[in-house]
Amino acid sequence: MLRYIVKRLLFMIITLSCTIIFVFTLLEFTPGDPAKVILGQTATEDALEAIRIQFGLNDPYIVRLGRYFAQLLRGDLGTSYITRQPIAGAIAARLPLTLTIAFYGILVGSLIGILAGTISAVKQFSLADRVLTFISLFGNSAPSFWIAMLFVLIFAVKLQVLPATGSYGFKYWILPVATIGLQASSGVTRMTRSSVLEVIRQDYIRTARSKGQVEWKVIISHALRNAFIPILTQLSTQFCGYLGGTVLVESVFAIPGIGNYVLDAVKKMDTPVVLSGIVIICAMCSIIILVVDILYAFIDPRIKATYGFGVKKKKTAKAAGGGK
Amino acid sequence: MGENTLLSVEDLVVKYFLRTSTCEAVNGISFTIDKGERVGLVGETGAGKTTTALSILDLVPNPPGRIVSGKIILNGEDVLAKSEAEVRKIRGNDVAMIFQDPMTSLNPVMTVGDQITEVVRLHNDVGRFEAMDKARDMLELVGIPGERYGEYPHQFSGGMKQRVLIAMALACNPKLLIADEPTSALDVTIQAQVLDLINGLREKLGMSLLLITHDLGVVAETCDRVMIMYAGSIVESGTIRAVYKNIKHPYTKGLFGSIPRLDIETERLDPIKGMMPDPSNLPEGCAFCERCPNAIEECKTKRPQLEDIGDGHMVACFNPLKEGA
């Protein structure tokens, strides 16, 4: 298992490096002069040249790329062109907020989604199934910013029970979390439904019923665990999506999260912030995917076996069985 | 129904209601199984054997299947008239079932021990650790070391998985064991082992056995009585001796003709010509009529009923084979 994790971490470094090179190159092609971004349009040519030398902007592409890598290895994410503040500090202030909202959104979404999807699958073609399928299709297709604005209209403007914008504590998180949760639950419902439907037709479910087990326990302890791998995959991709993609939700609710930060930087041509922001989001996603891959092993012992866990057990199996 | 009768199935009709058609899987079959008796149910794929077995546990997948009519009387009580909770007490306890494919019949994410423990705890008022001990004992009983309690199904071979399923089925001392083609998915060498195991344990624990198979040889070795099923009906039944020595139904003869024999020199096997009729579109007369070499006019319009021709040998045929044919 440890070897597997180390191997995965090495892969993660390769993935991150490729992402950095790709984004760095992409930013290279964006029009505009970074020096002008820093000093403004009215700066004199001498001042611009001085800035270019100070930031090393005249160096060739490969040198600057190498410098960025070296800088990352020192743990330095660079300095913003606009604020002249270190980027690491700004991200550290914003990342927890984005992570918290995305996490709670996914949590709410998975609770609702798994419940709804299971009901939908167990009562296939029933009225409940049709209604839930319709709602999840709706949630999947409705844009998140539209849902966000709808929530603001209902709960902040009409009912005036929740704050519309800002981030000063739990109360302010309810609407963004609900927005993300609703959308996440739609995807999870659909995935759970199809996954559970596939599993409840398996022979081992019939075996469980033939033992005289109560139906809801058959579903929970036999079906759901087997159906969980695709659901978890869906959850992890959604979680990753929300790390960078809550921009729209963050904009509507004016949450100073990382999505908003990077979006703002894109608008202002603040390339170091864009680059480092994407690197951090990418690193977060890699970690989430790694954690999920490790979780797979705890859900499905067959996957655990392929990770090189339980070598001792394998030996006994070979000694006693072997007729396969 | 005699004193010694354990299970009596009376006029059972099971249908699968599909979107475009209705599949008549079991068409009014009746049979009994005595205490300690071993009965073989033989027929080709799609004859309704598994549906019959699932009906006994009231486990016909619904939808699309439904038991339309009939009675399943176990120990004098009609299973089909019971509530779901009462039937659950029978499943795995009074009647246990071993399924066809051991590869897919065990939950892949649960240890084999826990899967046995589950059934023990469902039907016995015991604590967790006591149930686990019982599960280990059951593993030992089927020839698997108790230490393998915590292993997962993928760590076992096919034959070993079938042993686990047998241990699971026998954990609550059922009165009736239904074995649905328990060896079809296994290697020939393992088949004999598993059959011996089932037989030995059946004798030891004094259960009745309903063995579903398409292997007439296995039935001859294992059972006291045999029932031949075709297109949802029993066409011939009786003691092994009566049926094997004196085949009456042309279909039974066809089944025997499909087995290669070492003592008779033949160029080719003599299989039954044609296919089993579509169960969603059964003919008006005898279902075997189309393929039957003995068919007469009557077979096309009327369905033959099982009739006793002496010694409990029953046959459903208007023109049965003559003695020694």
Side-chain angles (χ1 to χ4, degrees):
Chain A
M1 194 69 161
L2 196 69
R3 250 186 72 190
Y4 174 80
I5 294 173
V6 170
K7 202 169 90 187
R8 284 296 305 266
L9 285 174
L10 286 176
F11 272 120
M12 200 173 115
I13 291 170
I14 297 172
T15 313
L16 275 180
S17 306
C18 291
T19 311
I20 292 167
I21 295 169
F22 181 72
V23 177
F24 191 91
T25 313
L26 215 59
L27 290 172
E28 192 68 15
F29 287 116
T30 48
D33 183 355
K36 277 189 183 159
V37 173
I38 299 166
L39 290 182
Q41 295 295 331
T42 52
T44 61
E45 189 53 43
D46 288 345
L48 287 174
E49 193 54 35
I51 281 292
R52 283 189 199 117
I53 291 164
Q54 188 196 332
F55 282 84
L57 294 171
N58 286 333
D59 295 336
Y61 162 81
I62 201 79
V63 174
R64 279 178 290 126
L65 181 61
R67 200 189 297 139
Y68 184 70
F69 269 108
Q71 184 191 316
L72 273 187
L73 284 178
R74 287 197 307 269
D76 182 4
L77 289 176
T79 313
S80 161
Y81 282 164
I82 311 284
T83 61
R84 306 282 178 90
Q85 299 290 314
I87 297 168
I91 286 181
R94 288 151 203 267
L95 190 62
L97 198 58
T98 298
L99 274 178
T100 314
I101 288 173
F103 177 78
Y104 282 118
I106 286 288
L107 191 72
V108 169
S110 57
L111 289 178
I112 298 174
I114 291 170
L115 186 70
T118 309
I119 292 172
S120 222
V122 173
K123 304 270 175 218
Q124 195 190 8
F125 302 134
S126 67
L127 184 68
D129 176 28
R130 280 165 216 269
V131 170
L132 288 171
T133 309
F134 177 77
I135 293 174
S136 69
L137 189 67
F138 175 79
N140 247 4
S141 19
S144 58
F145 65 87
W146 181 77
I147 295 175
M149 287 196 271
L150 207 64
F151 277 170
V152 169
L153 263 181
I154 296 170
F155 294 101
V157 179
K158 268 256 154 75
L159 302 176
Q160 301 198 337
V161 285
L162 290 167
T165 57
S167 174
Y168 309 102
F170 180 73
K171 229 176 140 183
Y172 290 83
W173 293 349
I174 294 175
L175 286 184
V177 164
T179 307
I180 293 172
L182 185 74
Q183 210 168 34
S185 74
S186 311
V188 176
T189 303
R190 291 158 68 77
M191 185 54 90
T192 307
R193 181 179 185 271
S194 67
S195 187
V196 169
L197 269 180
E198 201 184 307
V199 167
I200 54 175
R201 292 196 166 81
Q202 298 290 322
D203 287 346
Y204 53 79
I205 298 300
R206 189 176 60 181
T207 308
R209 287 189 182 130
S210 81
K211 291 184 198 173
Q213 184 59 281
V214 194
E215 187 63 19
W216 66 267
K217 273 194 182 167
V218 171
I219 296 300
I220 289 175
S221 62
H222 290 275
L224 262 186
R225 197 166 159 204
N226 277 288
F228 212 71
I229 297 259
I231 300 171
L232 196 62
T233 313
Q234 168 89 11
L235 281 174
S236 70
T237 48
Q238 275 184 338
F239 198 178
C240 289
Y242 289 131
L243 282 187
T246 45
V247 179
L248 293 171
V249 177
E250 284 179 4
S251 304
V252 173
F253 295 109
I255 298 163
I258 195 162
N260 241 345
Y261 181 57
V262 174
L263 183 71
D264 208 38
V266 171
K267 283 187 209 152
K268 290 176 180 158
M269 296 272 304
D270 197 348
T271 41
V273 174
V274 177
L275 187 56
S276 294
I278 291 173
V279 168
I280 289 297
I281 291 173
C282 181
M284 283 293 144
C285 289
S286 300
I287 291 169
I288 289 167
I289 290 168
L290 177 62
V291 168
V292 165
D293 279 353
I294 292 167
L295 281 179
Y296 286 162
F298 288 95
I299 293 171
D300 194 330
R302 287 166 297 183
I303 296 178
K304 200 183 232 174
T306 61
Y307 287 179
F309 223 44
V311 178
K312 211 178 92 199
K313 276 181 188 168
K314 254 188 186 166
K315 268 185 193 161
T316 54
K318 259 185 195 159
K324 206 171 180 177
Chain B
M1 202 171 104
E3 181 117 313
N4 211 18
T5 308
L6 174 69
L7 173 80
S8 161
V9 173
E10 292 170 17
D11 210 20
L12 180 72
V13 178
V14 186
K15 291 182 181 171
Y16 290 98
F17 295 92
L18 308 173
R19 198 167 284 226
T20 51
S21 60
T22 303
C23 174
E24 298 174 46
V26 176
N27 304 313
I29 66 169
S30 303
F31 61 89
T32 59
I33 297 176
D34 286 346
K35 284 173 188 156
E37 195 183 24
R38 304 166 294 177
V39 179
L41 183 59
V42 183
E44 61 194 286
T45 306
K49 296 169 298 191
T50 302
T51 303
T52 306
L54 288 174
S55 304
I56 297 171
L57 288 170
D58 196 12
L59 271 180
V60 175
N62 176 14
R66 210 169 68 221
I67 298 174
V68 178
S69 63
K71 281 182 183 167
I72 288 169
I73 295 167
L74 185 78
N75 276 329
E77 289 177 56
D78 190 356
V79 174
L80 301 180
K82 287 175 184 280
S83 71
E84 173 65 23
E86 285 171 319
V87 177
R88 276 202 300 269
K89 281 185 195 145
I90 294 172
R91 291 179 196 147
N93 193 22
D94 294 321
V95 182
M97 192 156 171
I98 302 170
F99 293 97
Q100 192 167 353
D101 191 352
M103 301 298 175
T104 55
S105 292
L106 285 168
N107 186 342
V109 302
M110 222 169 159
T111 66
V112 295
D114 283 346
Q115 294 188 52
I116 302 172
T117 305
E118 184 184 12
V119 71
V120 174
R121 293 197 68 186
L122 274 170
H123 299 294
N124 298 288
D125 190 20
V126 293
R128 191 178 150 70
F129 293 103
E130 216 176 315
M132 284 166 77
D133 284 340
K134 171 80 179 164
R136 276 193 201 91
D137 291 346
M138 288 312 297
L139 283 174
E140 298 274 357
L141 190 68
V142 297
I144 297 172
E147 304 89 71
R148 298 191 68 184
Y149 179 99
E151 290 184 21
Y152 290 94
H154 72 271
Q155 292 168 294
F156 290 79
S157 67
M160 297 296 258
K161 277 187 202 150
Q162 193 60 289
R163 282 166 191 267
V164 172
L165 281 161
I166 293 169
M168 200 188 290
L170 301 186
C172 295
N173 287 327
K175 296 182 183 76
L176 171 66
L177 176 66
I178 302 171
D180 184 4
E181 305 201 26
T183 57
S184 300
L186 303 177
D187 274 330
V188 185
T189 45
I190 311 292
Q191 285 185 6
Q193 281 182 22
V194 168
L195 276 175
D196 283 348
L197 181 71
I198 293 177
N199 231 339
L201 291 173
R202 190 208 63 81
E203 224 155 280
K204 202 164 155 185
L205 305 171
M207 308 171 284
S208 306
L209 173 71
L210 176 63
L211 179 69
I212 297 172
T213 177
H214 45 244
D215 190 335
L216 285 162
V218 166
V219 172
E221 263 178 61
T222 320
C223 299
D224 305 312
R225 217 148 51 77
V226 63
M227 302 185 289
I228 313 285
M229 200 166 177
Y230 184 79
S233 307
I234 292 174
V235 295
E236 185 163 10
S237 73
T239 59
I240 295 289
R241 193 166 185 79
V243 174
Y244 279 53
K245 288 281 176 203
N246 184 15
I247 300 169
K248 282 291 174 194
H249 199 283
Y251 177 65
T252 316
K253 184 166 182 270
L255 280 183
F256 277 96
S258 311
I259 309 171
R261 289 178 65 168
L262 292 174
D263 55 337
I264 298 173
E265 194 150 333
T266 42
E267 288 282 309
R268 305 177 65 105
L269 285 175
D270 188 18
I272 309 168
K273 288 172 185 62
M275 302 266 284
M276 201 165 72
D278 178 2
S280 62
N281 187 21
L282 287 178
E284 193 189 338
C286 172
F288 189 58
C289 180
E290 293 267 301
R291 307 166 75 182
C292 183
N294 281 27
I296 53 174
E297 228 14 71
E298 208 181 354
C299 303
K300 286 182 188 154
T301 49
K302 281 203 325 205
R303 275 190 194 182
Q305 300 298 318
L306 269 182
E307 275 169 44
D308 199 329
I309 56 163
D311 255 358
H313 187 172
M314 315 259 279
V315 64
C317 186
F318 292 122
N319 188 19
L321 302 167
K322 304 287 175 290
E323 192 90 21

